[in-house]
């Protein structure tokens, strides 16, 4: 008996030196102009992507999509929506393929369940075995697996009902199988966390938007009552601020808290005081400027008189 010798296939071309094996990552391929073989190349673009040149064939590696963070990158909004639709919505099959599809789903689910040590002794092909396995899974807190077990059982009951011609039983079992699938998906660790965190973020966002709208409303009211506050005399402002009584009723303002009104009146009074101080400073500056002007003119008159006197003395000889 002779052993078959596996044919040696080089990884790189001896002529051009390029790879003859497709890497497990994004890459391009083309026929080499020197050796004529199909070569695989990874050309990095300036933005760290893959540069594709004219005549290249772009290759995408097999991808496993998951909601687990830090696995295979991050979803954009459109990609997340498509992925959720993919896991929640069943593949559409024809009526002739429906029974085979249900049997295939049952086989896949049971293969996963049979890998659990706690229920390996249970016969999932019998109702007794399914009941025993369900009790164990619930006791162990394996809720997701219990939902999958119930789905598998209903799938089997469904296609058996289809084969026996019991339409009502088939529809009922198909409906329950669909419900257990959705419950199983919602029990997923990452999906539950995403829903919870997403709800919290959406709740805070909605609350913040509501607060922003309230702030805008309050700003409009404050702007509307500003002329009314400016019309009050200083005596009224001081009284309303310090007497401890309601302000809004006495000045005819609604929609603004008493604390806000008090702050507005205080601000108005402070601005008036600052205005007086600034006005006084400006007057003081003008007085000083006028005094300096007078001093300068006095100096000029003194100098002019001195020159005239000097010229007069010279003229007299």
């Amino acid at each position: 008996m002779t052993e078959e010798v596996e044919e040696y296939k080089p990884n790189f071309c001896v002529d051009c030196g390029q790879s003859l094996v497709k890497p497990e990552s994004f890459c391009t391929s083309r026929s080499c102009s020197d050796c004529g073989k199909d070569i695989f190349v990874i050309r990095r673009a300036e933005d760290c992507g893959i540069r594709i040149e004219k005549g290249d064939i772009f290759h995408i590696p097999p991808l496993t999509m998951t909601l687990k963070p830090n696995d295979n990158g991050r979803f954009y909004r459109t990609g997340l929506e498509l992925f959720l639709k993919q896991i929640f919505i069943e593949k559409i099959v024809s009526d002739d393929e429906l029974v085979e599809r249900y049997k295939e789903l049952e086989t896949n689910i049971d293969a996963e369940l049979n890998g659990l040590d706690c229920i390996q002794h249970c016969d999932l092909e019998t109702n007794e075995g399914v009941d025993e396995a369900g009790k164990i899974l619930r006791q162990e807190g394996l809720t997701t697996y219990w939902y999958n077990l119930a789905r598998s059982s209903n799938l089997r009951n469904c296609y058996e009902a289809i084969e026996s011609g019991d339409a009502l039983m088939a529809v009922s079992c198909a409906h329950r199988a669909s419900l257990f699938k959705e419950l199983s998906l919602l029990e997923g660790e990452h999906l539950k966390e995403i829903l919870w965190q997403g709800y919290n973020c959406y709740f805070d966002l909605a609350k913040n938007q509501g607060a922003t709208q309230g702030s805008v409303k309050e700003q409009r009211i404050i702007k509307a009552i500003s002329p009314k506050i400016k019309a009050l005399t200083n005596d009224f402002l001081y009284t309303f601020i310090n007497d401890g009584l309601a302000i809004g009723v006495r000045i005819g303002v609604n929609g603004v808290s008493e604390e806000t009104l008090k702050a507005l009146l205080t601000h108005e009074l402070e601005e008036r005081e600052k205005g007086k101080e600034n006005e006084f400073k400006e007057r003081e500056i003008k007085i000083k400027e006028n005094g300096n002007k007078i001093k300068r003119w006095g100096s000029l008159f003194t100098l002019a008189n001195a020159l005239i006197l000097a010229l007069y003395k010279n003229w007299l000889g």
Side-chain angles (χ1 to χ4, degrees), residues 14-265:
V14 296
D15 298 323
C16 65
Q18 297 291 345
S19 175
L20 301 175
V21 179
K22 184 171 67 174
E24 295 182 358
S25 62
F26 294 95
C27 66
T28 61
S29 68
R30 63 162 57 208
S31 296
C32 179
S33 57
D34 296 330
C35 65
K37 300 184 180 73
D38 289 335
I39 57 174
F40 298 89
V41 183
I42 300 176
R43 301 187 188 89
R44 296 296 180 186
E46 294 181 358
D47 59 355
C48 296
I50 300 295
R51 189 175 82 251
I52 303 175
E53 298 181 351
K54 186 177 180 180
D56 286 350
I57 299 174
F58 184 55
H59 299 275
I60 301 176
L63 299 176
T64 302
M65 293 188 292
T66 174
L67 293 175
K68 183 179 179 181
N70 302 323
D71 279 5
N72 298 318
R74 176 178 179 174
F75 283 110
Y76 290 98
R77 179 165 186 156
T78 303
L80 178 60
E81 291 177 358
L82 291 174
F83 178 65
L84 291 177
K85 288 179 180 178
Q86 179 180 345
I87 62 175
F88 272 97
I89 299 175
E90 285 283 357
K91 178 183 177 182
I92 299 176
V93 296
S94 64
D95 294 345
D96 296 335
E97 299 174 323
L98 187 60
V99 171
E100 292 302 320
R101 174 60 177 168
Y102 281 179
K103 290 181 178 180
E104 177 186 354
L105 289 173
E106 181 199 10
T107 301
N108 294 336
I109 296 172
D110 287 351
E112 182 181 13
L113 293 172
N114 287 326
L116 299 175
D117 293 337
C118 59
I119 60 171
Q120 278 190 349
H121 64 283
C122 299
D123 185 1
L124 301 184
E125 296 296 325
T126 64
N127 292 332
E128 293 76 12
V130 170
D131 291 340
E132 182 184 0
K135 290 179 182 179
I136 295 172
L137 292 175
R138 288 194 296 272
Q139 290 173 356
E140 295 291 332
L142 301 174
T143 307
T144 302
Y145 289 108
W146 181 76
Y147 288 148
N148 288 337
L149 175 66
R151 183 189 179 201
S152 172
S153 177
N154 278 283
L155 286 171
R156 183 175 67 254
N157 293 335
C158 177
Y159 69 71
E160 287 179 350
I162 293 174
E163 291 173 340
S164 63
D166 191 344
L168 182 59
M169 177 61 74
V171 171
S172 177
C173 292
H175 175 65
R176 288 198 294 269
S178 177
L179 290 178
F180 281 115
K181 176 200 173 182
E182 293 168 0
L183 290 171
S184 173
L185 290 173
L186 291 174
E187 279 296 316
E189 172 191 358
H190 302 295
L191 184 57
K192 288 181 70 174
E193 191 66 20
I194 288 170
L195 290 173
W196 172 240
Q197 296 292 346
Y199 168 76
N200 282 331
C201 291
Y202 185 74
F203 183 88
D204 292 339
L205 178 62
K207 284 291 185 181
N208 291 337
Q209 287 176 343
T212 301
Q213 292 172 0
S215 300
V216 172
K217 177 184 176 181
E218 194 172 40
Q219 288 174 17
R220 291 175 179 173
I221 296 175
I222 291 172
K223 186 176 181 180
I225 66 176
S226 181
K228 186 177 291 189
I229 293 176
K230 291 184 181 296
L232 297 173
T233 63
N234 288 355
D235 293 337
F236 277 113
L237 290 174
Y238 182 84
T239 302
F240 291 154
I241 292 170
N242 295 285
D243 65 2
L245 301 177
I247 301 172
V249 176
R250 290 186 284 174
I251 64 176
V253 173
N254 295 316
V256 181
S257 67
E258 288 293 313
E259 291 80 5
T260 301
L261 283 174
K262 186 175 181 179
L264 289 171
L265 297 181

